[in-house]
Amino acid sequence: MMATSTFQSVCVIGLGYIGLPTAAFVASKGINVIGVDVNEKFVNRINAGEVPFFEPDFAETLVDVVGRGLLTATTETPAADAYIVAVPTPFNDKHELDPSYIKSAAEGIADKLSGGELVVLESTSPPGTTEKLADYLISLRPDLTLEDGQPNSLYFAHCPERVLPGRIMVELASNDRMIGGLTPHGTEMARELYATFCTGELLLTDAKTAEMAKLTENSFRDVNIAFANELSVICDKLGIDVWELIELANHHPRVNILQPGPGVGGHCIAVDPWFIVAAAPEEAKIIKAARNINDAKPGYVIDKVLAKAYRIKNPTIAALGIAFKPDIDDLRESPSLAIVERLAGELEEGDIRVVEPHVSELPSRLAQSSNVRLQGTLEAINEADIVLVLVDHTKFKSIDRALLEEKIVIDTKGLWR
Ligand SMILES: NC(=O)c1ccc[n+]([C@@H]2O[C@H](COP(=O)([O-])OP(=O)(O)OC[C@H]3O[C@@H](n4cnc5c(N)ncnc54)[C@H](O)[C@@H]3O)[C@@H](O)[C@H]2O)c1
């Protein structure tokens, strides 16, 4: 197959929060999309038109493209004109990228290539990863080349994702995208692919800069949240209301302090800065300090809760929220979940009532704890001695404040300030 400016078929590898909506958006433009996932249950549910995770307003689009035969899911990587890789990119115990998911995606692609294809890495990755992916594919297929313009050329680009879970249907199309190819033709092919469904600006660069830019965005957020979290600890010590403090300071026309919380969660902000630290350990001083400050916040909250709980006989703690941020069901890297898990282990007597309106059952580790159960909001608060706010879900904002009289309230999100 020669390099082509039109994509007849696109294969999306990894059908999670990012890959599946991306596959559906491309398919909604009339392009034949094959989605690949190692999770057979996901594949079956997708082929039945079911969204395997919570994302508002997405089901309609998925049902439409599956119903029209434009999107099919499978566990086997097929031949395609373009591949979009959206597999997990977690870090290992040294806070370095675990490349195994990307490598396994590449192994699936390798023997399907005939030359002329585009491979886009969407997964958030350390600088240089797209190049390593390309080198790995060429090592598996030495008959192909990374040089532009040959019949056996392979083209590569990095195009990181910036969507906010819960707003994917809006942001996947409208966000500006960075597109960084390994070669100019790779950049151009990727621009053409994303132009099929992106209405935001397509910002062209090289692969390494695109990789670093995505990490930089999340590190910027992390450093600023660390500043707010550090302030919250300082304010506790000095007897100052941190929420009032931040509100006052933010009246300065050029100050915009973020809100503190129980820690930083999710698979992006709590992970991505480590890739910069790993790439430049001597130089990334603030970025590393911010990670450590944010990672220490759950422990600080736990100590605060236990100090109150130890003064009560058989304390009941209502923990409001275990998702990693408001109004979603995503528990990955959630500091709130980590807090409840550790509290469950450290609480000598009493119990914890988890209130999480976005899940129907507790994750397995918590479900096995004899002193933890999932409960409705009112029941949990009524029976609690300590009300611990961990997530500012919109549903919690309307809780009648009168219910909190006589309760010890530890509000890590300033929900009722
Ligand atoms: N979720 C977000 O908000 C978000 C935002 C920006 C960037 N990202 C990045 O996008 C990437 C994907 O994130 P996600 O949230 O979609 O992850 P996810 O865990 O929801 O989905 C990943 C999917 O990949 C599948 N998978 C794993 N290995 C595979 C393989 N070898 N072949 C085929 N499928 C495989 C898994 O079964 C899973 O369904 C990550 O690098 C993440 O950092 C995520």
Side-chain angles (χ1 to χ4, degrees):
M1 191 188 70
M2 295 290 291
T4 168
S5 61
T6 313
F7 299 96
Q8 305 294 329
S9 60
V10 173
C11 171
V12 178
I13 303 178
L15 299 176
Y17 286 86
I18 294 301
L20 183 57
T22 303
F25 269 70
V26 176
S28 73
K29 301 301 169 193
I31 296 170
N32 180 30
V33 178
I34 308 104
V36 178
D37 204 288
V38 287
N39 183 337
E40 211 171 327
K41 269 195 206 153
F42 262 42
V43 165
N44 293 336
R45 289 184 66 185
I46 292 161
N47 283 331
E50 275 176 47
V51 181
F53 45 80
F54 175 73
E55 181 59 40
D57 306 323
F58 177 45
E60 209 173 290
T61 305
L62 186 71
V63 167
D64 175 55
V65 291
V66 170
R68 287 199 284 149
L70 288 166
L71 172 63
T72 45
T74 169
T75 53
E76 290 295 319
T77 306
D81 296 337
Y83 294 88
I84 296 177
V85 178
V87 294
T89 41
F91 55 63
N92 60 21
D93 51 8
K94 287 191 202 142
H95 289 134
E96 292 162 351
L97 173 72
D98 165 3
S100 58
Y101 299 88
I102 296 179
K103 280 183 140 179
S104 128
E107 285 153 16
I109 296 171
D111 64 353
K112 303 297 182 307
L113 299 168
S114 52
E117 294 91 347
L118 169 71
V119 180
V120 178
L121 179 64
E122 272 216 17
S123 303
T124 307
S125 303
T129 310
T130 308
E131 196 171 351
K132 284 187 185 155
L133 166 64
D135 290 344
Y136 186 55
L137 266 172
I138 293 294
S139 77
L140 298 173
R141 287 293 306 272
D143 54 315
L144 300 174
T145 176
L146 297 177
E147 206 181 297
D148 267 5
Q150 306 300 316
N152 61 341
S153 297
L154 270 190
Y155 300 98
F156 288 86
H158 182 58
C159 182
E161 185 52 69
R162 295 154 152 170
V163 290
L164 186 69
R167 279 182 51 81
I168 288 181
M169 291 311 287
V170 179
E171 294 196 1
L172 201 71
S174 64
N175 281 357
D176 296 342
R177 299 291 295 250
M178 298 175 282
I179 297 177
L182 279 189
T183 58
H185 192 68
T187 308
E188 176 49 30
M189 281 178 85
R191 189 202 61 73
E192 205 175 307
L193 176 59
Y194 284 84
T196 60
F197 70 98
C198 290
T199 55
E201 207 178 326
L202 301 178
L203 308 155
L204 307 185
T205 179
D206 59 78
K208 201 187 263 185
T209 308
E211 289 159 343
M212 186 64 182
K214 165 73 188 176
L215 304 180
T216 300
E217 292 167 3
N218 282 338
S219 300
F220 176 85
R221 304 266 309 150
D222 199 45
V223 167
N224 282 281
I225 297 168
F227 181 70
N229 277 337
E230 186 164 285
L231 279 179
S232 73
V233 175
I234 294 169
C235 283
D236 271 357
K237 182 170 181 176
L238 302 182
I240 293 168
D241 178 342
V242 71
W243 314 103
E244 184 190 353
L245 175 90
I246 291 175
E247 202 178 317
L248 291 171
N250 280 349
H251 276 267
H252 183 294
R254 284 165 297 281
V255 170
N256 184 15
I257 303 168
L258 301 184
Q259 301 296 304
V264 169
H267 29 78
C268 292
I269 299 179
V271 174
D272 302 352
W274 286 121
F275 292 154
I276 298 184
V277 176
E282 293 300 316
E283 295 77 9
K285 293 189 179 70
I286 291 182
I287 295 171
K288 186 173 179 187
R291 270 291 66 240
N292 287 331
I293 289 167
N294 288 333
D295 274 356
K297 192 71 195 288
Y300 176 80
V301 174
I302 290 166
D303 290 348
K304 211 167 155 179
V305 176
L306 288 178
K308 300 280 184 198
Y310 287 151
R311 293 197 205 136
I312 303 167
K313 193 164 170 44
N314 276 322
T316 292
I317 301 167
L320 304 194
I322 50 171
F324 88 80
K325 61 177 167 187
D327 302 330
I328 59 166
D329 67 344
D330 194 342
L331 308 182
R332 291 177 299 172
E333 314 287 331
S334 168
S336 309
L337 176 59
I339 286 170
V340 175
E341 281 175 353
R342 275 181 52 197
L343 273 178
E346 291 183 30
L347 202 61
E348 285 163 6
E349 54 172 27
D351 67 341
I352 304 171
R353 315 292 171 84
V354 172
V355 181
E356 180 46 81
H358 298 284
V359 302
S360 55
E361 55 187 46
L362 288 174
S364 58
R365 259 215 311 247
L366 267 192
Q368 284 160 17
S369 306
S370 55
N371 57 354
V372 182
R373 68 177 136 125
L374 192 63
Q375 212 174 27
T377 317
L378 293 184
E379 214 182 345
I381 292 180
N382 274 332
E383 291 169 18
D385 303 295
I386 299 173
V387 176
L388 170 62
V389 180
L390 293 170
V391 185
D392 46 345
H393 287 316
T394 305
K395 285 184 180 165
F396 295 157
K397 291 189 180 157
S398 55
I399 290 171
D400 182 357
R401 302 270 285 268
L403 294 173
L404 304 170
E405 280 166 21
E406 318 278 309
K407 311 281 178 194
I408 297 168
V409 176
I410 300 176
D411 182 357
T412 69
K413 291 303 302 179
L415 186 73
W416 294 309
R417 63 183 181 274

